[in-house]
Amino acid sequence: NRDEVGAKMFADRLLRHVDEDLVVHTELEQVLKASVSIGYAQYAGEGARAFYGRADKALYDAKRSGRARAVAAIKLAAQ
């Protein structure tokens, strides 16, 4: 599915940009590196609570799998 491929490409690009950027904290005189975890879902016509629940589960799956990960939510079965 083109939308899924596009979402994956966007998430990977965001991960790469965050990984490449450094944050300079002038008061502490330190350079900090950040990472993100991303969970994303494709809307499948379900209610908002179910949709956000799937995306939220994907986010926590990404966090559990390590730093700087993007995880797609499990698709809903055809109804």
Side-chain angles (χ1 to χ4, degrees):
N1 186 323
R2 198 175 82 217
D3 291 339
E4 292 175 53
V5 171
K8 172 79 171 122
M9 289 173 57
F10 179 78
D12 289 343
R13 193 168 51 242
L14 181 59
L15 290 172
R16 193 170 49 254
H17 283 292
V18 171
D19 183 58
E20 292 170 354
D21 284 344
L22 299 175
V23 177
V24 178
H25 193 294
T26 54
E27 288 183 30
L28 297 177
E29 297 179 358
Q30 290 183 338
V31 177
L32 308 172
K33 189 164 176 84
S35 69
V36 296
S37 297
I38 301 170
Y40 59 96
Q42 184 174 6
Y43 181 67
E46 72 269 43
R49 186 176 300 238
F51 172 66
Y52 288 117
R54 288 190 308 112
D56 193 50
K57 181 180 181 321
L59 171 60
Y60 283 96
D61 289 347
K63 288 180 177 187
R64 278 190 294 275
S65 68
R67 294 174 57 125
R69 306 287 177 169
V71 173
I74 295 172
K75 293 183 192 178
L76 291 179
Q79 296 180 12

